[in-house]
Amino acid sequence: MILITGATGHFGKLTIDFLLKKGIETSQIAVLVRNTEKATDLNEKGINIRVGDYNDYSSLVRAFRGIDKLLFVSGTDIPNRTSQHEQVLKAAMDAGVKHIIYTSGEFRIEGQDSPLWNFVEAHIKTEKWLKESGLTYTILKNGLYMEYIPYFIGNVLETGIIYLPAGNGKISVALRSEMAEATATILAMEGHENKSYHFVNTEAYGYEDIARYISEFTGKTFNYISPTEEEFRKTLQQQGVSIPEEYISIILAQAQGDAEMVSDDMEKLIGRKLTPITTFLQEAYQHG
């Protein structure tokens, strides 16, 4: 029996769809949800719905009973994520889960000096706990979703400029759907025990590259300008634009080269070349 946490989110639902395509019966799939109303479509497919919350230890133990493989999708409540993850792992051990597949993050800089420390601290500790737990594990080091690129570069078709303090840093991004497909492959098969996989693309791109690609697709000229962090924040303030600190932290980490990791792990898992960023950008901006 496979249990998927975060099952009502985009990644969770995509993973379930790929499991079904791979011939896994609905009777072999369970999901953890906080709100059953959001899982109506999953219930209609015949998937077992289990109610639980990362903040409620006893609910997790109940939900995890009888589960062989647990897809542990990392929490989104950043301030409380570390303690939540510790609860999930303890509950999985108490419930007798055999194999945990954990969605960690892809990051190069692990110290507290990293702008991403608030994000990566929980991942670093969870990976350590997993490896020390005695449980069978698989760690998925998920990079940034390609679908997030439009959010980072803003309304570029109107402004003609990508304005980010990312310097010469490059990003290796992959489609969420291809990450989910690779995850489903691991869940559906054996042979991935006690391994880590890098869920990133085979090539990294700079924002200067992205500006050039969009220029080629649209026939218009787009430029990349990299201000200092101070200039960036001042410009946002002058324009009355409010951006979450997490967003700025990710950009600053990119400037340090923290998103440049490349790997062919996903290609090997799904058995084909990954979608390049050029294809994604062309679909997103050619007719913009």
Short mmCIF file of all heavy atoms in Angstrom, two decimals, residues 207-236:
data_model
loop_
_atom_site.label_atom_id
_atom_site.label_comp_id
_atom_site.label_asym_id
_atom_site.label_seq_id
_atom_site.Cartn_x
_atom_site.Cartn_y
_atom_site.Cartn_z
N TYR A 207 19.49 34.17 -16.34
CA TYR A 207 18.37 35.03 -16.73
C TYR A 207 18.68 35.79 -18.02
O TYR A 207 17.76 36.19 -18.75
CB TYR A 207 18.01 35.98 -15.59
CG TYR A 207 17.26 35.27 -14.48
CD1 TYR A 207 17.93 34.89 -13.31
CD2 TYR A 207 15.91 34.96 -14.61
CE1 TYR A 207 17.26 34.22 -12.31
CE2 TYR A 207 15.24 34.29 -13.61
CZ TYR A 207 15.92 33.92 -12.45
OH TYR A 207 15.26 33.24 -11.46
N GLU A 208 19.95 35.98 -18.30
CA GLU A 208 20.33 36.57 -19.59
C GLU A 208 19.94 35.63 -20.73
O GLU A 208 19.45 36.07 -21.77
CB GLU A 208 21.84 36.83 -19.61
CG GLU A 208 22.27 37.78 -20.72
CD GLU A 208 23.70 38.26 -20.54
OE1 GLU A 208 24.07 38.63 -19.41
OE2 GLU A 208 24.43 38.26 -21.54
N ASP A 209 20.13 34.33 -20.51
CA ASP A 209 19.69 33.33 -21.50
C ASP A 209 18.18 33.41 -21.69
O ASP A 209 17.67 33.38 -22.81
CB ASP A 209 20.05 31.91 -21.04
CG ASP A 209 21.54 31.70 -20.90
OD1 ASP A 209 22.29 32.26 -21.73
OD2 ASP A 209 21.96 30.99 -19.97
N ILE A 210 17.45 33.49 -20.57
CA ILE A 210 15.99 33.51 -20.64
C ILE A 210 15.51 34.73 -21.41
O ILE A 210 14.61 34.64 -22.24
CB ILE A 210 15.40 33.48 -19.21
CG1 ILE A 210 15.70 32.11 -18.57
CG2 ILE A 210 13.90 33.76 -19.22
CD1 ILE A 210 15.33 32.02 -17.11
N ALA A 211 16.13 35.89 -21.14
CA ALA A 211 15.75 37.11 -21.87
C ALA A 211 16.02 36.94 -23.37
O ALA A 211 15.21 37.36 -24.21
CB ALA A 211 16.54 38.31 -21.34
N ARG A 212 17.14 36.32 -23.70
CA ARG A 212 17.47 36.10 -25.11
C ARG A 212 16.47 35.15 -25.79
O ARG A 212 16.04 35.39 -26.91
CB ARG A 212 18.89 35.54 -25.24
CG ARG A 212 19.36 35.44 -26.69
CD ARG A 212 20.80 35.00 -26.80
NE ARG A 212 20.99 33.58 -26.49
CZ ARG A 212 21.50 33.11 -25.37
NH1 ARG A 212 21.90 33.95 -24.42
NH2 ARG A 212 21.64 31.81 -25.17
N TYR A 213 16.10 34.08 -25.09
CA TYR A 213 15.14 33.12 -25.67
C TYR A 213 13.80 33.78 -25.94
O TYR A 213 13.20 33.58 -26.99
CB TYR A 213 14.94 31.93 -24.72
CG TYR A 213 16.17 31.09 -24.49
CD1 TYR A 213 16.38 30.48 -23.25
CD2 TYR A 213 17.11 30.90 -25.49
CE1 TYR A 213 17.51 29.71 -23.01
CE2 TYR A 213 18.25 30.13 -25.26
CZ TYR A 213 18.43 29.54 -24.02
OH TYR A 213 19.55 28.77 -23.78
N ILE A 214 13.33 34.57 -24.96
CA ILE A 214 12.03 35.23 -25.15
C ILE A 214 12.11 36.23 -26.31
O ILE A 214 11.16 36.38 -27.09
CB ILE A 214 11.57 35.93 -23.85
CG1 ILE A 214 11.38 34.88 -22.73
CG2 ILE A 214 10.26 36.67 -24.07
CD1 ILE A 214 11.06 35.48 -21.38
N SER A 215 13.24 36.89 -26.44
CA SER A 215 13.45 37.81 -27.57
C SER A 215 13.34 37.07 -28.89
O SER A 215 12.70 37.53 -29.84
CB SER A 215 14.83 38.48 -27.46
OG SER A 215 14.94 39.26 -26.30
N GLU A 216 13.94 35.89 -28.95
CA GLU A 216 13.91 35.10 -30.18
C GLU A 216 12.50 34.64 -30.52
O GLU A 216 12.09 34.68 -31.68
CB GLU A 216 14.84 33.88 -30.03
CG GLU A 216 16.32 34.24 -29.97
CD GLU A 216 17.19 33.05 -29.59
OE1 GLU A 216 16.63 31.95 -29.34
OE2 GLU A 216 18.42 33.23 -29.52
N PHE A 217 11.74 34.23 -29.51
CA PHE A 217 10.39 33.72 -29.75
C PHE A 217 9.43 34.82 -30.16
O PHE A 217 8.53 34.59 -30.99
CB PHE A 217 9.84 33.03 -28.49
CG PHE A 217 10.68 31.88 -28.01
CD1 PHE A 217 10.80 31.62 -26.66
CD2 PHE A 217 11.35 31.06 -28.90
CE1 PHE A 217 11.58 30.57 -26.20
CE2 PHE A 217 12.13 30.00 -28.46
CZ PHE A 217 12.24 29.76 -27.10
N THR A 218 9.59 35.99 -29.57
CA THR A 218 8.61 37.06 -29.77
C THR A 218 9.00 38.05 -30.86
O THR A 218 8.16 38.80 -31.35
CB THR A 218 8.41 37.85 -28.46
OG1 THR A 218 9.67 38.43 -28.08
CG2 THR A 218 7.90 36.95 -27.34
N GLY A 219 10.30 38.08 -31.21
CA GLY A 219 10.77 39.06 -32.19
C GLY A 219 10.94 40.44 -31.57
O GLY A 219 11.19 41.42 -32.28
N LYS A 220 10.82 40.53 -30.25
CA LYS A 220 11.03 41.79 -29.54
C LYS A 220 12.30 41.68 -28.69
O LYS A 220 12.77 40.57 -28.42
CB LYS A 220 9.83 42.11 -28.62
CG LYS A 220 8.49 42.17 -29.37
CD LYS A 220 7.35 42.27 -28.37
CE LYS A 220 5.99 42.20 -29.08
NZ LYS A 220 4.87 42.18 -28.12
N THR A 221 12.83 42.80 -28.28
CA THR A 221 14.06 42.78 -27.50
C THR A 221 13.76 42.83 -26.01
O THR A 221 13.05 43.73 -25.53
CB THR A 221 14.96 43.97 -27.86
OG1 THR A 221 15.27 43.90 -29.26
CG2 THR A 221 16.25 43.94 -27.06
N PHE A 222 14.31 41.85 -25.29
CA PHE A 222 14.17 41.79 -23.83
C PHE A 222 15.56 41.76 -23.22
O PHE A 222 16.46 41.09 -23.74
CB PHE A 222 13.37 40.55 -23.41
CG PHE A 222 11.94 40.58 -23.85
CD1 PHE A 222 11.58 40.09 -25.10
CD2 PHE A 222 10.96 41.12 -23.05
CE1 PHE A 222 10.26 40.12 -25.53
CE2 PHE A 222 9.64 41.16 -23.46
CZ PHE A 222 9.29 40.67 -24.71
N ASN A 223 15.73 42.49 -22.13
CA ASN A 223 17.03 42.58 -21.48
C ASN A 223 16.95 42.11 -20.04
O ASN A 223 15.89 42.18 -19.39
CB ASN A 223 17.55 44.02 -21.52
CG ASN A 223 17.81 44.49 -22.94
OD1 ASN A 223 18.55 43.85 -23.67
ND2 ASN A 223 17.18 45.59 -23.31
N TYR A 224 18.08 41.65 -19.54
CA TYR A 224 18.19 41.26 -18.14
C TYR A 224 19.06 42.28 -17.42
O TYR A 224 20.18 42.56 -17.84
CB TYR A 224 18.81 39.86 -18.02
CG TYR A 224 19.25 39.49 -16.63
CD1 TYR A 224 18.39 39.61 -15.53
CD2 TYR A 224 20.54 38.99 -16.40
CE1 TYR A 224 18.80 39.27 -14.26
CE2 TYR A 224 20.96 38.63 -15.13
CZ TYR A 224 20.09 38.77 -14.06
OH TYR A 224 20.50 38.43 -12.80
N ILE A 225 18.53 42.85 -16.35
CA ILE A 225 19.28 43.78 -15.51
C ILE A 225 19.35 43.20 -14.11
O ILE A 225 18.32 42.81 -13.54
CB ILE A 225 18.60 45.16 -15.47
CG1 ILE A 225 18.59 45.78 -16.87
CG2 ILE A 225 19.29 46.09 -14.47
CD1 ILE A 225 17.81 47.08 -16.95
N SER A 226 20.56 43.13 -13.56
CA SER A 226 20.74 42.58 -12.22
C SER A 226 21.17 43.69 -11.26
O SER A 226 22.34 44.06 -11.20
CB SER A 226 21.79 41.47 -12.23
OG SER A 226 21.97 40.98 -10.91
N PRO A 227 20.23 44.23 -10.50
CA PRO A 227 20.57 45.27 -9.52
C PRO A 227 21.17 44.63 -8.26
O PRO A 227 21.15 43.41 -8.10
CB PRO A 227 19.21 45.90 -9.20
CG PRO A 227 18.26 44.74 -9.33
CD PRO A 227 18.79 43.89 -10.45
N THR A 228 21.69 45.44 -7.38
CA THR A 228 22.09 44.93 -6.07
C THR A 228 20.82 44.64 -5.27
O THR A 228 19.71 45.09 -5.63
CB THR A 228 22.93 45.96 -5.30
OG1 THR A 228 22.11 47.11 -5.04
CG2 THR A 228 24.17 46.36 -6.10
N GLU A 229 20.96 43.91 -4.19
CA GLU A 229 19.81 43.63 -3.35
C GLU A 229 19.19 44.93 -2.86
O GLU A 229 17.95 45.09 -2.85
CB GLU A 229 20.22 42.75 -2.16
CG GLU A 229 19.07 42.47 -1.21
CD GLU A 229 19.50 41.74 0.05
OE1 GLU A 229 20.68 41.35 0.14
OE2 GLU A 229 18.66 41.59 0.95
N GLU A 230 20.04 45.87 -2.46
CA GLU A 230 19.56 47.16 -1.94
C GLU A 230 18.77 47.91 -3.01
O GLU A 230 17.69 48.45 -2.73
CB GLU A 230 20.75 48.00 -1.47
CG GLU A 230 20.36 49.30 -0.78
CD GLU A 230 21.57 50.11 -0.33
OE1 GLU A 230 22.71 49.61 -0.46
OE2 GLU A 230 21.36 51.24 0.15
N GLU A 231 19.31 47.95 -4.23
CA GLU A 231 18.62 48.63 -5.33
C GLU A 231 17.29 47.95 -5.63
O GLU A 231 16.27 48.62 -5.90
CB GLU A 231 19.50 48.62 -6.59
CG GLU A 231 20.72 49.53 -6.50
CD GLU A 231 21.69 49.29 -7.65
OE1 GLU A 231 21.64 48.21 -8.28
OE2 GLU A 231 22.50 50.20 -7.92
N PHE A 232 17.29 46.64 -5.60
CA PHE A 232 16.08 45.87 -5.89
C PHE A 232 14.98 46.19 -4.87
O PHE A 232 13.84 46.47 -5.24
CB PHE A 232 16.41 44.37 -5.87
CG PHE A 232 15.25 43.48 -6.25
CD1 PHE A 232 14.72 43.50 -7.53
CD2 PHE A 232 14.71 42.60 -5.31
CE1 PHE A 232 13.67 42.67 -7.87
CE2 PHE A 232 13.65 41.77 -5.65
CZ PHE A 232 13.13 41.80 -6.93
N ARG A 233 15.36 46.15 -3.61
CA ARG A 233 14.37 46.44 -2.56
C ARG A 233 13.86 47.88 -2.65
O ARG A 233 12.67 48.14 -2.46
CB ARG A 233 15.00 46.20 -1.18
CG ARG A 233 15.28 44.75 -0.86
CD ARG A 233 15.88 44.59 0.53
NE ARG A 233 16.21 43.21 0.87
CZ ARG A 233 15.34 42.32 1.35
NH1 ARG A 233 14.07 42.69 1.54
NH2 ARG A 233 15.71 41.09 1.63
N LYS A 234 14.77 48.81 -2.98
CA LYS A 234 14.39 50.22 -3.10
C LYS A 234 13.42 50.41 -4.25
O LYS A 234 12.42 51.14 -4.14
CB LYS A 234 15.63 51.08 -3.32
CG LYS A 234 15.38 52.57 -3.25
CD LYS A 234 16.68 53.36 -3.36
CE LYS A 234 16.45 54.86 -3.28
NZ LYS A 234 17.71 55.63 -3.40
N THR A 235 13.68 49.75 -5.37
CA THR A 235 12.79 49.84 -6.53
C THR A 235 11.41 49.30 -6.21
O THR A 235 10.39 49.90 -6.58
CB THR A 235 13.39 49.07 -7.73
OG1 THR A 235 14.67 49.63 -8.04
CG2 THR A 235 12.49 49.17 -8.94
N LEU A 236 11.36 48.17 -5.52
CA LEU A 236 10.08 47.59 -5.13
C LEU A 236 9.31 48.56 -4.24
O LEU A 236 8.10 48.75 -4.42
CB LEU A 236 10.29 46.27 -4.38
CG LEU A 236 10.86 45.09 -5.16
CD1 LEU A 236 11.04 43.89 -4.24
CD2 LEU A 236 9.95 44.71 -6.32
#
